[in-house]
Structures are given as structure tokens and as C-alpha cells.
Amino acid sequence: MIDIGYLFAAMAFIFALKLMNSPLTAKKGNRVAMIGMAVALVVTLFAPSIKPQNFMWIGVGLAIGFVGGYFPAKRVQMTAIPQMVALLNGLGGGAVALVALFEFLEANHLGHTGASVQSVTTVLSAIIGSISFAGSMIAFGKLQEILPGRPIGFKGQQGFNLALVIFITALSLAMLAFGQTNVALFIALLGASLVLGLTAVMPIGGADMPVVISLLNSFTGCAAGLAGFVLNNNALLIGGGLVGASGFILTLQMCVAMNRSLGNVLFSGMGSIVASTGDPTKPQKQPKSYSPEDVAILLSNANSVVIVPGYGMAVAQAQHQAKELAGKLMAMGVDVKYAVHPVAGRMPGHMNVLLAEADVPYEQLYELEQINPLFPETDVVLVVGANDVVNPAARYDKTSPIYGMPILDVDKARTVIVSKRSMNPGFAGVENELFLNDNTVMVFGNAKTTIAKISTALDQY
Amino acid sequence: MNDLATLIPIITIFILAIFVGLEVIAKVPQTLHTPLMSATNAIHGVILVGGLLILGKAEGIGMIVLGLAAVIFGTLNVVGGFVVTDRMLEMFKTKKRGGGK
């Protein structure tokens, strides 16, 4: 009976993923997955191995998890969704590691010590779960800006990581060969995996965090699937296997969208530390700084305006002001378009979500391939808090960490207005020469207040 | 302790699940990358099933604490994951309506 429930859940998961391939059916897909999950959880409660006296604890755990998960997820700002996903993924990884630890201790207690498929998968799910947990926490810290978004590392970090991988492998083999009763060894294995999670993600720049989270998501799925071997449980096997595989495909697709290889994303971090120190031979130019009023004049004289939103707009929640400004310009007969870069913000699709929230008509959103040919005929581009996705260095500077990433060619427009908090480099930690171009003017300050001021100033014209 | 007869079906299921996972994700539009990641994130919360099973059989305070932590983590993953995905997809609905205006 329980396995029938699991079969239903597995079918629901597969069907849900299928539905998630199209924006039209995606919401239904998520609901289907929810139903599948609910069925899997409910039938599990009927498992004969559950002791009646432990139901109280199960109730407590579910209640805490539900309250702790539901309300923050309901309230979290749309801009903070990426770090929320990272955090939740980490918790999932942590849960896998805890299940593995439990099973290890129990097998020990029962005297099952020989190497078996169960002991191998226990060790593997513990390792992968721990890496996912620690790595996700670092990704969360970076996106939440508790940790600096720039790559952090030390000399020989990659060597250190390699050594750690070898150490973990050796430890696992040793454990499987003869040390299975050794709890300290298992704890050491968990510890080393946690450290590897930390040191592997630390040197990766914040801009690449979506890819990292997606990969760790796939890891957690794999680990959960392996835990299915340990517990001999079909729901875990199928759910975990599905996510492990589909998460990996998704990761690769994200890399393709950024025109990077997965290896490049994971291991180029140390390189960008060197590159981001900048080129000292170039003379330091000062950017032109305009007031919001000056910007309003520029805009009112334009025939066509393209708005390029970025993370700064998301942070400042300036999408409503941007839409208001666009509305005024359109009322003045200006042609207004929005250019959405696939990886603008912190997650692919981030900008679409925000602009949709502000009720920006879908027809005004242009994707990279559609808008780039139009820039040379555009009078004014208004960049709102975007940086790396408009950095011309991506086109030619081979030393730049963002080299090769498709960018919005805003520098080809007649005038570029950049609304930004400061001259600080973007998330990838790279200077942006666009800001120093002759046809670029900067307007400093919080995006929301700046856009609102421009909008007010525009009323005079 | 797992003899081959019980092992083969498990391995079969796992490998088939991986193949389905590889196939089910076709070329996804970029706007759906984040929601899809979030949804798969919620689905691997199925580890909560494992959490429930271990907490159910736990004996002694140490093991109960371990199991409880696993259940809490797993529930957070499931509930938070689905709610966040749902909210993200809610935005797409708004967009369609906005586009129709």
C-alpha cells in the first residue's frame, strides 16, 4: 500500500517536471508536485517501522518545520528568492547528511559492519549531503551579502581542495574496508565534506551563484536518491534520482545561457581575483555625473528609450517607479522598451518576475537577441542598477572573468544613462569601462529615489 | 546484508529515475530556470520521507534529536520550497494578465 502511494508520488513528480517546461503550465506543475509530496509523506506515516510513541516527536518536527518554512517563504521579498532557494537547498542537504549519520550509528549499534551496498551509499550520501549543506550556506551568505560576493580564496586553494577530495576518498575507502565501527572516522568524514563544501564555493564569484545553487540542488537530489538505497525506499530513490538528473541538465542549460562551461564557472574564481585588480596602465578617467533633472531633460528629448533593469533595481524595488517613468515617457510619445538580459539580477528570469510584478506589458519586454540590433538606433538607454550584463569588456577582454558572456550592447546607443548607487564594481567584481565612456552619464543614488526624482522632474516637460 | 535479489530492483528504479530526469527537462525557456530550480529543490525535500522513517524508529534521546533535526530540515525544505516556487509562478500569471491589457 505504501509503495503504491510512492508510485503515485513518483508519477506526480515526473508529470510536474514535464509541466514545468512551459510557462503556461508551470503553476499547475508545482501544484501536482505538492500533491505527490503530500501523498508520499502521508503514506510514510503508515510504515510499520514507526513506533507509536514517536508520533509525538514526528508531530513536533513537522510543526516546527512547517511554521519555520511557510511564513518566511510567504513573506520573503522577491529579490531575496535566490538566497532563499540556496538556504532551503542547504537544509535539504543537511537532512540527507543527518539521515545518513543516523543510519550509520544504527547499523553500528546493530553490529552490521561489513561493507555492503548500504554502507557505501550511507557514506556517499553523507559526503554529498554535507557538501551541499555547507556550499549552499556559503551561497546563501554571498547572496544575502553577509559574505562578500567577490571570489574569496587563498593561494593554493585549488590544491587544497584537491587534497581534501583525496583525503575524503581515502577516508571513505578506509572506512569501508575496516573502520566501519569507528564513529570518530565517520564524523571526520562529515567534517571534511563540510570543509570541502565551504572551500569549493568560497572562491566562486557571486554572479555565478545561480549556477552553483543549481548544481548543489542536483547534488542534494543525488544524495537523497542514495539515501533511498540506505533506507530501501522507492520515494527517495525516484524523487532523488529525478532531481539529481534534471537539476544537472538545468545547471548545464544555465551555463549555456551565460556562454560558459561548468568547469569555467567552478574553477575560474581564482583567476578573476587577479583580473579584478584592474589595469593600472590605463589612465583613470572620471565618470560624468548628472542630476536627476538633467537626466529628465535627456529623456524628454529622446524619441526612443530602452530601459535595462538589473539587480540594483531589484534591491531598491524600483520596478514600479521605472514603470511609472516609462508611462510618462510613452504619454509624451517616446517609444519605450525594456531589455531583459537572461542573467540580469541574481537568477535567470529574475527581471521578468519583477517587471511582471509591476504590470509591465509583456510586449515591451525584449530579450537579448531581439534588442541588441536595435541599440544603434536608440536615443537613450537607461540602465537601472545593471552592471556586468552591460560591460563591453565581455566582448573583447580575454582576461575578464565575464569574457564571452553575451551582453546587452548598450554602449552602441547614442546616450547611456546609468543609475547606480556608486562606482563600485558589480557582482562579478569587475570594473566597467562603460561608465567612463564619452556617451555615458552616471546618476548616483538608490535606484528607487533616483527614478522617482527623474519622473517628477519629467512632469515639467 | 542486501542480497542481490533485493538489490537489482532498487538499482533499476534509481537508474530509470535518472534517465527520466534527464529526459523530462527539455529546452526550458530562461524565464523558467529559476522556478524550475526551485521546484526541483522542493522535490528533493522528499528526503523528509527518510527523516520520518528514522525518527519513527529512533530510540534514545540522541537518536531522537538526530531524527528530529532531519525532520525539521526536511519539512523546511519541502514547505519553503513549494511556497517559494508557487509565489514565483504567481508572478507569471500576473504577467499574462498584464500583457492582455
Side-chain angles (χ1 to χ4, degrees), chain A residues 20-21 27 31 51 54 68-69 73-74 76 89 92 103 117-118 217 232 236 245 253 257 342 347-348 352 363, chain B residues 1 7 10 18 24-26 28 30-32 34 40-41 44 46 55-59 76-77 86-87 90 99:
Chain A
M20 293 286 296
N21 275 313
K27 192 160 171 74
R31 292 276 155 88
K51 297 193 184 85
N54 280 4
K74 267 284 181 203
V76 65
N89 179 53
E103 285 296 312
V117 171
Q118 288 192 328
N217 183 37
N232 199 350
L236 288 181
Q253 287 197 12
M347 288 255 157
N352 299 66
E363 313 82 77
Chain B
M1 54 190 177
L7 199 57
I10 301 187
I18 288 176
V24 84
I25 302 296
V28 183
Q30 258 151 14
T31 37
L32 275 182
T34 306
T40 53
N41 173 45
H44 71 48
V46 74
L55 180 56
K57 64 181 178 181
E59 264 175 67
L76 285 168
N77 186 180
D86 205 50
R87 280 189 55 199
E90 194 69 45

Side-chain angles (χ1 to χ4, degrees), chain B residues 33-44:
Chain B
H33 281 178
T34 306
L36 188 59
M37 170 158 64
S38 180
T40 53
N41 173 45
I43 291 175
H44 71 48

